[in-house]
Amino acid sequence: MLSKKGLKIASVAGVPIYVSWTWWFFAALIVVLFRPTFARALPEASDGWTWAVSAFFALIMFATVLVHELAHALAALSFRWQVNEITLNFWGGATVYEHSGQGKAQTPLRSLFVAIVGPISNLLIAGAAWALLQILVDTSGTTQVLLGVTVWTNLLIGVFNLLPGLPLDGGRVVESAVWAATGSRARGMRAAGWSGRIIVGLLVVGGIVVPLAQTGIVVPLAQTGDVSIFGILIVIMIATMLWQAASATIRAARMQLLAEQMRITDLMTPVQTILADTSISKLVPLLTGTRPGFEYQQLPVAVLDVDQASGGEVLVGVIDYAALGTVPRSAWHLPVSTVSRAVNPQAQIQATDTVPDLFTTIMAHPNDLIAVVDTTATPHRIIGIINPDTLAGRLYA
């Protein structure tokens, strides 16, 4: 099935798998770049056969990356976290997952496990391919060549992803270690982001600067010989991607560190409240302005229901001033629920919870208003709301 994300090829454990359009460019690049390698390794093979071997190697790369991402996804699912999708793209792949309110709590050890299983899967594939090489009778044919490149590419992918800097999986190891040592995930993110920037610096130095100093010409990845403009571009593209991702992590960590110094009540927007079945005529006196829908620049008005079991308040909507402005006075007998925007009543947090608890709740409900509940009162009361977009704007300002 086609979509903006690419071609959906399958679903595993309910997780959709997409192949981005950029992956096809990556596959074509693999075929073209590795075909001369296979031609040298198989000197007696025809041109058509070496092209076919190179194309088959692209499929091996596809399977390698897919296994890596599936390892991440299945590990996250083992903790009942929500896995939204797997996408294979030019840079390899990405597994999008987040904590679920029904899942186990995120901890440094669980985060470490989800991160580490990806590279481990590649190292296991490399080991399996190496073991097959040892029992192979014909050590000069196509099978031997493909197994050999499978060993080395999986070793490269596994080791590269273990480098200690975000967005690589090794960065999650750094994040988990600092998180466990300090009790702050934001500090772990900041450390992993900065280590990611260091990795970029080492990549640039090792891929361009050192060879330039040694040979007088730019020879990427410390190879001697002719100047490789393509190699330079690959180093620059990878470094740029890693730097941008590491910088985004540092910004997110800065936001969380700032938020961790505050209380939930510092981050919420206070609200006025009204029951959903109350008439609009009872709502109007709460508002500032000359008539409904005109200059109501004030605190939001939360529309509430009452939980029949506990008697506590439940946020079910927020007054939509634009909709209210269209209601004539003759219709003020209608309930306020007719001029409110519905919200998810499950998206809530207690006023006494911590800010990390808030971020966990936002990850579980990224597109919902979060109700702040005062559980010290009997029955429980709604005292404010938190809009994730507004919160991000305040913290980034």
Side-chain angles (χ1 to χ4, degrees):
M1 183 171 61
L2 299 177
S3 72
K4 292 182 179 179
K5 299 174 182 177
L7 176 66
K8 181 180 178 182
I9 58 170
S11 290
V12 175
V15 180
I17 301 173
Y18 296 95
V19 179
S20 168
W21 306 117
T22 61
W23 185 87
W24 302 103
F25 176 70
F26 170 76
L29 207 58
I30 289 293
V31 172
V32 172
L33 291 179
F34 277 84
R35 188 261 167 185
T37 300
F38 292 122
R40 289 191 297 270
L42 301 167
E44 297 181 1
S46 66
D47 288 347
W49 182 250
T50 56
W51 279 111
V53 171
S54 191
F56 189 77
F57 176 61
L59 292 178
I60 292 176
M61 291 292 292
F62 176 90
T64 292
V65 175
L66 181 58
V67 169
H68 179 109
E69 299 303 330
L70 279 173
H72 288 313
L74 294 176
L77 288 172
S78 71
F79 299 129
R80 298 196 301 276
W81 296 350
Q82 180 178 331
V83 182
N84 297 327
E85 65 188 51
I86 293 173
T87 302
L88 305 185
N89 54 40
F90 180 84
W91 299 110
T95 301
V96 180
Y97 65 90
E98 58 194 11
H99 179 260
S100 170
Q102 288 72 45
K104 296 181 180 180
Q106 287 192 338
T107 65
L109 186 59
R110 288 169 184 159
S111 180
L112 171 65
F113 177 72
V114 173
I116 205 74
V117 292
I120 287 177
S121 71
N122 294 122
L123 298 179
L124 290 175
I125 292 173
W130 180 84
L132 288 174
L133 274 174
Q134 307 315 302
I135 62 175
L136 194 65
V137 176
D138 181 7
T139 60
S140 61
T142 300
T143 303
Q144 186 267 345
V145 171
L146 284 173
L147 284 174
V149 294
T150 298
V151 170
W152 287 108
T153 52
N154 275 277
L155 279 175
L156 177 62
I157 292 172
V159 172
F160 182 74
N161 273 280
L162 285 173
L163 292 177
L166 284 172
L168 302 173
D169 295 324
R172 294 294 179 192
V173 176
V174 174
E175 176 188 311
S176 297
V178 177
W179 180 7
T182 66
S184 169
R185 186 171 192 176
R187 286 186 171 84
M189 291 171 59
R190 182 175 61 184
W194 277 105
S195 63
R197 285 182 168 180
I198 293 172
I199 294 296
V200 173
L202 294 175
L203 176 64
V204 172
V205 170
I208 298 177
V209 177
V210 170
L212 175 62
Q214 290 177 339
T215 67
I217 55 175
V218 179
V219 186
L221 304 180
Q223 296 176 352
T224 60
D226 296 332
V227 175
S228 172
I229 300 301
F230 177 78
I232 298 171
L233 292 175
I234 290 295
V235 171
I236 293 174
M237 289 171 63
I238 293 175
T240 301
M241 183 273 291
L242 294 177
W243 183 272
Q244 290 177 340
S247 299
T249 298
I250 293 171
R251 289 194 297 271
R254 187 182 300 123
M255 180 184 75
Q256 290 200 29
L257 283 169
L258 177 61
E260 285 179 1
Q261 301 172 14
M262 303 179 181
R263 299 169 298 175
I264 297 295
T265 50
D266 297 326
L267 299 172
M268 75 178 189
T269 300
V271 293
Q272 299 187 83
T273 59
I274 192 168
L275 291 175
D277 57 359
T278 305
S279 67
I280 294 176
S281 61
K282 299 291 181 64
L283 166 66
V284 172
L286 298 178
L287 306 176
T288 304
T290 57
R291 62 182 185 276
F294 184 74
E295 295 182 351
Y296 292 147
Q297 304 300 321
Q298 58 161 43
L299 292 179
V301 178
V303 179
L304 310 178
D305 204 347
V306 176
D307 184 274
Q308 296 301 318
S310 66
E313 297 176 345
V314 179
L315 179 68
V316 296
V318 177
I319 293 298
D320 183 338
Y321 294 137
L324 179 61
T326 65
V327 179
R329 182 179 291 270
S330 60
W332 282 11
H333 61 281
L334 295 173
V336 296
S337 58
T338 60
V339 291
S340 69
R341 297 191 309 273
V343 302
N344 181 0
Q346 302 301 318
Q348 59 178 250
I349 190 169
Q350 297 180 18
T352 54
D353 283 342
T354 65
V355 171
D357 292 331
L358 171 61
F359 283 111
T360 298
T361 302
I362 289 175
M363 284 190 289
H365 305 281
N367 300 313
D368 295 320
L369 289 177
I370 310 297
V372 179
V373 184
D374 179 7
T375 55
T376 63
T378 304
H380 298 169
R381 296 175 49 247
I382 302 295
I383 60 174
I385 57 175
I386 295 175
N387 184 321
D389 292 333
T390 302
L391 176 62
R394 287 178 59 190
L395 296 177
Y396 275 123

